[in-house]
Amino acid sequence: MPSLSFFRRMSLPSVGKPSSKSSANEQNAEERVSIPETQTVLLLHAPRQPYQLTTSYPVPQVKGIREVLVRTRAIGLNPIDWKAPDFNFGIPELPYISGRELAGEIVQTSDRSSRLKLGDRVLVISTDYRDLRKAAYQEYVVALDYNTVRIPPALSLEKASTLGVAFVAAALALGVCMGVDFSGELGGPDLHRLVREVASEGLASDIRKECLDGIREHERAVRGDWLAVWGGSSTSAHLTIQLAKLVGLKTVAIVDKAKHGVRLTNHQAIHTDLLVDSHDPQRAVDIIRSNLQGKLRFGIDTRGAESATSLLQALSPGTSARQSRPLVGAPRNASPPSPPATPDDSMLLSAHLIGLTGLPKHPAPEGTVYHTIPIKLFHEMPAIGEALSSWLERLLAEGRICAPEVLDVEQGLGSVNKGLDRMRRGEISGGKLVVKVA
């Protein structure tokens, strides 16, 4: 950390004009904050190398009116942070700064109309990996205000740093890929509707089909539908199961029961309707099919192509469309959609398989649709990002969801490599490893 001699006084721009000289002075006093010229960061200089602790690196600059500057206090480590350098993917430039989620406090704003204020304790969810200003492995991070979540006083910064990316992935998987309507739960978003309000050319070409054609209206998840999550011990699964239960879905978790069975059984927030051991994948498939008897249309895999292939075998496409039940999350008194005059094959319900880290290598069989999560919706579409961030604020404030378990806390940016090594060795499972920066 640089000495105080490096600190500068910064007067930040304002969107609206003050009504008087007095109010202008108050405004300027509010927006001034001491920010260093330089900071300490972790840089990746080449694939398959450790991150290098680097001092005297410039503090990133706020550029747009929807950007804020956050002082990093705690970083949640994710598997992508070690897999990307090890397997040389997701690294748009070198040297590179990594890290996708952090918690800290607002030290600079550029828009007085923003819901965020100086000193707010916040969670930053950085899904935009191409902008190094937004990466977590540095002392100061630029964030979009619509990708930033205020956290309640009772939630520690360490716990807050564990849940951002997993929440976004879970919400988009359920809301976009499965068509869940969250509007009945603390005013959550109906993402299926929101993405269709955006002009198609406003959606990136690689996610347009998923957003607009991934699931048909009559196939959207309804209250009481079953959802199977393979790899149910992961952080993404932790948030997926909570959100699914919140809106009335029934859940199946396929996990290593020897390692995670007791925890999932005893944890009220992530307790599932059916818990299946993943040790023998074919037996797991047989148990699901035997218990659900053709009722499973939705599956989310958090592990990879092999387990996704097993989960595919458990799905049951081709059932008839139901017209008398409300969409998941819709208000209880909402009228169901009117059925067509004459049912036909177009009203049959497909099965939907969502892969967080991979999908089966062969094409989807008839009656089944493969999905990938359109994660860039969160940072490229302000309406989507803000809807999810503000909803997460309400969920946390009301105690409707809980953060994953913090398994351990490492101290200082320099301990990130140690933490990632522990993840490589498989020592971190069923929770998160956090790095406390200050």
Side-chain angles (χ1 to χ4, degrees):
M1 187 72 184
S3 66
L4 292 177
S5 63
F6 282 96
F7 280 61
R8 65 183 184 271
R9 300 294 288 179
M10 297 189 67
S11 180
L12 308 180
S14 169
V15 174
K17 290 184 178 181
S19 58
S20 68
K21 182 177 181 180
S22 174
S23 61
N25 290 337
E26 290 173 0
Q27 175 180 311
N28 290 335
E30 179 187 351
E31 292 183 336
R32 286 185 187 133
V33 65
S34 294
I35 302 171
E37 298 279 357
T38 61
Q39 61 170 339
T40 298
V41 304
L42 283 178
L43 291 178
L44 180 71
H45 290 278
R48 292 173 289 278
Q49 289 188 6
Y51 295 93
Q52 298 294 320
L53 197 65
T54 305
T55 59
S56 300
Y57 193 89
V59 169
Q61 298 296 303
V62 170
K63 297 177 180 178
I65 63 169
R66 301 215 64 175
E67 294 185 347
V68 297
L69 188 67
V70 177
R71 182 174 182 180
T72 307
R73 297 297 191 181
I75 300 170
L77 300 186
N78 288 291
I80 189 69
D81 299 339
W82 68 265
K83 290 182 178 180
D86 281 16
F87 299 102
N88 194 19
F89 71 93
I91 304 173
E93 61 182 277
L94 291 170
Y96 184 63
I97 306 176
S98 192
R100 303 273 65 87
E101 56 192 351
L102 64 112
E105 66 264 358
I106 301 288
V107 296
Q108 183 180 345
T109 64
S110 57
D111 185 352
R112 285 180 58 81
S113 66
S114 172
R115 75 186 198 288
L116 303 174
K117 306 302 179 187
L118 296 181
D120 280 351
R121 299 166 71 248
V122 294
L123 160 65
V124 175
I125 309 168
S126 177
T127 54
D128 185 3
Y129 71 97
R130 294 184 180 277
D131 189 343
L132 303 193
R133 300 177 306 143
K134 301 172 185 174
Y137 291 178
Q138 52 190 330
E139 292 179 311
Y140 290 86
V141 172
V142 168
L144 295 165
D145 64 354
Y146 56 85
N147 291 163
T148 303
V149 179
R150 294 172 298 184
I151 58 177
L155 184 63
S156 71
L157 293 173
E158 289 79 16
K159 274 191 167 291
S161 71
T162 67
L163 57 77
V165 173
F167 170 81
V168 171
L172 291 175
L174 292 166
V176 176
C177 303
M178 290 173 51
V180 169
D181 178 3
F182 295 115
S183 61
E185 306 299 328
L186 293 180
D190 180 356
L191 296 173
H192 186 269
R193 176 184 60 80
L194 279 178
V195 296
R196 282 158 179 77
E197 291 178 351
V198 178
S200 60
E201 59 270 18
L203 296 167
S205 59
D206 57 337
I207 63 170
R208 191 174 300 149
K209 182 174 177 60
E210 178 63 63
C211 292
L212 301 180
D213 303 320
I215 188 166
R216 295 174 292 178
E217 181 70 29
H218 72 277
E219 293 185 304
R220 297 175 65 180
V222 298
R223 190 174 302 277
D225 266 341
W226 284 89
L227 166 66
V229 182
W230 201 297
S233 64
S234 70
T235 304
S236 296
H238 183 100
L239 272 299
T240 298
I241 291 169
Q242 289 189 73
L243 293 181
K245 292 178 62 175
L246 196 65
V247 295
L249 292 176
K250 295 182 179 180
T251 54
V252 183
I254 304 97
V255 300
D256 183 338
K257 289 180 69 173
K259 292 177 65 177
H260 304 292
V262 172
R263 182 177 63 86
L264 268 68
T265 299
N266 295 335
H267 196 309
Q268 186 60 38
I270 55 175
H271 178 81
T272 57
D273 297 281
L274 180 62
L275 187 64
V276 181
D277 194 352
S278 62
H279 179 70
D280 183 338
Q282 187 55 56
R283 183 172 182 273
V285 170
D286 293 341
I287 290 173
I288 294 170
R289 295 184 71 89
S290 174
N291 277 271
L292 301 193
Q293 299 182 354
K295 298 177 182 177
L296 180 66
R297 289 197 303 120
F298 299 103
I300 295 178
D301 177 81
T302 72
R303 306 289 293 175
E306 186 174 349
S307 55
T309 302
S310 296
L311 182 54
L312 175 65
Q313 299 174 34
L315 298 178
S316 301
T319 55
S320 299
R322 292 150 295 179
Q323 296 296 330
S324 60
R325 298 166 68 192
L327 290 172
V328 165
R332 301 295 195 277
N333 59 356
S335 299
S338 300
T342 305
D344 56 34
D345 288 345
S346 68
M347 294 302 290
L348 292 178
L349 299 174
S350 299
H352 297 268
L353 176 60
I354 304 159
L356 268 67
T357 58
L359 286 164
K361 296 181 180 179
H362 54 78
E366 184 177 358
T368 301
V369 181
Y370 290 165
H371 298 266
T372 56
I373 297 176
I375 199 76
K376 63 174 59 175
L377 272 177
F378 182 64
H379 61 265
E380 290 191 353
M381 307 303 300
I384 303 296
E386 188 144 38
L388 289 175
S389 295
S390 58
W391 186 44
L392 179 54
E393 287 184 0
R394 297 191 293 275
L395 291 171
L396 292 172
E398 296 293 328
R400 301 296 296 276
I401 62 171
C402 65
E405 181 181 356
V406 176
L407 299 180
D408 203 357
V409 179
E410 300 284 358
Q411 300 293 327
L413 271 176
S415 68
V416 166
N417 285 315
K418 175 185 175 184
L420 295 180
D421 283 341
R422 294 176 64 184
M423 296 173 70
R424 285 185 179 94
R425 295 192 295 265
E427 296 176 12
I428 306 301
S429 181
K432 291 275 283 197
L433 184 59
V434 170
V435 171
K436 187 175 181 179
V437 177

